[in-house]
Amino acid sequence: MSFTVSVRTAVLPAAALAALAIPVAPAQAASVSVTASVETAPVSHSGDAADDPAIWVHPTDPAKSVVVATDKKGALEVYDLSGTRIQRISGDYGNNVDLRGNIVVSADDEAAGGNGAMHIYRIDPVTRQLKWLKDVPTEVTAHGICLYTSPASGKLYAFPNSTSGRVEQWELAVSGDSVTATSVRLWDAGSAVEGCYADETTGKLYLGEEDVGVWVYGAEPTAGTARTKLDSTGSGGHITADAEGITAAGNRIYVSSQGSNDFTVYDRTTRAYLGRFSVANGTAADDCEDTDGIDATAANLGPAFPQGVFICQDGSNGAPGSSGNQNFKFVPLQRITGLFA
């Protein structure tokens, strides 16, 4: 564990500052680092290819859970908890991916060679393989994606979004291999957006406007466009652009602060900023740098991750003996939660 401490001389005590009517800055959690215990096989394409992971928890045997991740230059990949690739679906240019239950949706990035649609799959719990069900063209050119199951209605929704700032909400009804998709909301969030997370525990949608910060909307289709800000980039904020991946696990929210190669942490209920951490070089895996997508779960995933896992995309994979192609790192969640108790 490393701590970053700034020391200056001739600093007046807080009491003296108060007497001079000079405000005292609030204390913030120290910067800390953790290490990953697993890294995946590198994606097949070189350059800026890997982007976003999504964790699928096996319904009867958590140790057989998998991670679905994107190679936006032309594949959707499935890894087991040892980081071994167990499936590769060519021709999917998904920039982001998310899942709920056994339904997986990737946002096929037109800028990378895809068609800008949502690709919808189902995971077979026996084989742990994805089966394609349908492509859904969207009003926006899909770039980011997150899913949401409404606690009020039980309906499944997808939120494709675009580098233009446009966001759309789709209702997805899946019955067997049949998919019905209906657009229910469309709005403009401002400038380029990508990372998003829809939280069933609070009914909120967290949306990253890359150069501005993270906004909080209502996730229900009737919520309108009213929003508040979780955190911002630049002066007064804790995120260094781009604001990228967003996820939550247990009582914490995590955001990828791409420009500073680390991750900000917030209370899931109050949304208060708690501090930040980085994923550093370790004996089992190298660090996470220039991270795009992240995901996390507090579920028991068996012996390797009994208290859950945090996953980050590594934009500069430097593991000894690797091809150098980008990949994903798995951090036992307790290594992080223990720092922000």
Side-chain angles (χ1 to χ4, degrees):
M1 180 183 300
S2 62
F3 293 84
T4 301
V5 181
S6 178
V7 179
R8 295 183 181 181
T9 59
V11 177
L12 291 175
L17 290 173
L20 294 172
I22 300 174
V24 180
Q28 295 181 2
S31 176
V32 292
S33 63
V34 298
T35 57
S37 62
V38 170
E39 62 178 310
T40 68
V43 298
S44 297
H45 291 95
S46 61
D48 184 20
D51 197 289
D52 192 43
I55 303 162
W56 176 74
V57 180
H58 194 283
T60 59
D61 188 348
K64 292 183 178 178
S65 299
V66 300
V67 176
V68 183
T70 62
D71 174 347
K72 61 193 175 190
K73 291 190 175 181
L76 198 61
E77 309 210 330
V78 182
Y79 304 97
D80 65 18
L81 294 182
S82 73
T84 300
R85 184 187 298 110
I86 62 174
Q87 185 182 16
R88 185 173 191 271
I89 302 172
S90 298
D92 187 313
Y93 292 83
N95 187 73
N96 278 191
V97 64
D98 201 8
L99 57 84
R100 287 294 185 275
N102 64 349
I103 302 302
V104 178
V105 181
S106 71
D108 201 39
D109 191 358
E110 192 172 51
N115 58 15
M118 295 187 293
H119 293 321
I120 302 175
Y121 302 86
R122 178 191 291 106
I123 299 179
D124 183 328
V126 176
T127 64
R128 298 185 295 172
Q129 301 284 294
L130 271 62
K131 177 183 180 180
W132 174 83
L133 300 181
K134 186 174 184 177
D135 287 354
V136 177
T138 60
E139 177 72 21
V140 306
T141 301
H143 185 66
I145 193 81
C146 55
L147 302 188
Y148 173 71
T149 301
S150 168
S153 67
K155 293 179 179 179
L156 176 65
Y157 296 97
F159 293 92
N161 57 68
S162 170
T163 54
S164 70
R166 299 286 277 172
V167 185
E168 193 169 11
Q169 182 172 4
W170 285 78
E171 179 184 330
L172 303 178
V174 183
S175 177
D177 289 348
S178 175
V179 179
T180 301
T182 307
S183 180
V184 295
R185 186 163 51 145
L186 177 67
W187 75 96
D188 191 340
S191 57
V193 293
E194 179 181 351
C196 64
Y197 175 76
D199 191 348
E200 283 87 358
T201 67
T202 61
K204 299 299 183 183
L205 170 68
Y206 295 85
L207 182 66
E209 190 177 0
E210 293 185 350
D211 293 331
V212 176
V214 176
W215 296 101
V216 186
Y217 294 84
E220 294 293 327
T222 56
T225 58
R227 65 184 186 179
T228 58
K229 188 173 283 185
L230 173 71
D231 205 346
S232 60
T233 62
S235 178
H238 304 99
I239 302 169
T240 304
D242 291 351
E244 286 284 346
I246 308 168
T247 191
N251 59 356
R252 299 291 180 252
I253 300 167
Y254 304 99
V255 176
S256 171
S257 177
Q258 189 178 60
S260 52
N261 294 318
D262 60 3
F263 310 94
T264 51
V265 184
Y266 309 85
D267 185 279
R268 196 169 181 174
T269 302
T270 66
R271 300 201 284 271
Y273 171 74
L274 301 178
R276 63 199 315 117
F277 70 95
S278 61
V279 176
N281 287 313
T283 57
D286 65 307
D287 59 358
C288 272
E289 298 179 322
D290 197 31
T291 295
D292 283 305
I294 59 176
D295 200 12
T297 179
N300 177 356
L301 300 183
F305 301 102
Q307 298 180 49
V309 67
F310 174 89
I311 299 177
C312 51
Q313 178 261 3
D314 183 8
S316 181
N317 181 27
S322 77
S323 69
N325 287 5
Q326 297 174 345
N327 67 353
F328 301 86
K329 306 302 196 292
F330 299 1
V331 181
L333 190 63
Q334 67 270 23
R335 294 184 182 178
I336 300 168
T337 55
L339 302 172
F340 303 98

